[in-house]
Amino acid sequence: MPMKDTPQPVSAAGVLPMLILRVLQSGSLHGYAIAQRIHLLSSEVLAVEEGLLYPTLQKILRKGWVSAEWGTSETNRKVRFYRLTPAGRAQLKSDLSSYGRVTEAIQEILRTA
């Protein structure tokens, strides 16, 4: 059985907020669930470290892209649930457009350099 590669930390500027917004598009989640969902949806390639996740959540909360409310997790712990706001939906749309252009430019360089 082949060994899985070690998950890669998500670190590129702007990418983590975009991934968080995209994951929250399907419904509210608490921080740990957001990290797990990104990990699973990336086929376990990406890992979101707590030291980066929670400051990023606070940043996008301050910008109004998400709202948060306290609740109880599946394991009966008090957690904050984050929900995408209309401003967050608009930001995600903008981020996805920009990301697509940057990705195409990088692919072009890799093909022709």
Side-chain angles (χ1 to χ4, degrees):
M1 177 178 230
M3 228 168 90
K4 285 194 173 192
D5 292 332
T6 304
Q8 298 300 305
V10 178
S11 61
V15 173
L16 182 56
M18 180 178 61
L19 294 177
I20 291 170
L21 295 175
R22 179 60 185 95
V23 165
L24 291 175
Q25 197 172 28
S26 58
S28 66
L29 293 168
H30 56 82
Y32 180 74
I34 292 169
Q36 288 301 104
R37 187 130 170 88
I38 290 170
H39 183 66
L40 291 173
L41 290 173
S42 71
S43 300
E44 301 181 357
V45 172
L46 301 177
V48 182
E49 297 170 0
E50 279 186 41
L52 190 55
L53 174 65
Y54 291 101
T56 302
L57 284 167
Q58 287 305 307
K59 178 181 172 185
I60 65 177
L61 184 60
R62 283 192 308 275
K63 290 184 176 206
W65 299 345
V66 297
S67 60
E69 63 182 44
W70 289 100
T72 305
S73 73
E74 313 77 40
T75 57
N76 210 29
R77 296 179 68 191
K78 189 175 179 182
V79 294
R80 264 180 123 174
F81 284 89
Y82 298 89
R83 179 184 316 278
L84 193 60
T85 64
R89 289 185 194 288
Q91 183 62 41
L92 176 60
K93 185 177 178 181
S94 173
D95 287 351
L96 289 173
S97 175
S98 296
Y99 181 78
R101 288 192 307 273
V102 169
T103 302
E104 287 174 17
I106 291 170
Q107 289 299 322
E108 186 62 27
I109 291 167
L110 293 175
R111 277 192 299 271
T112 59

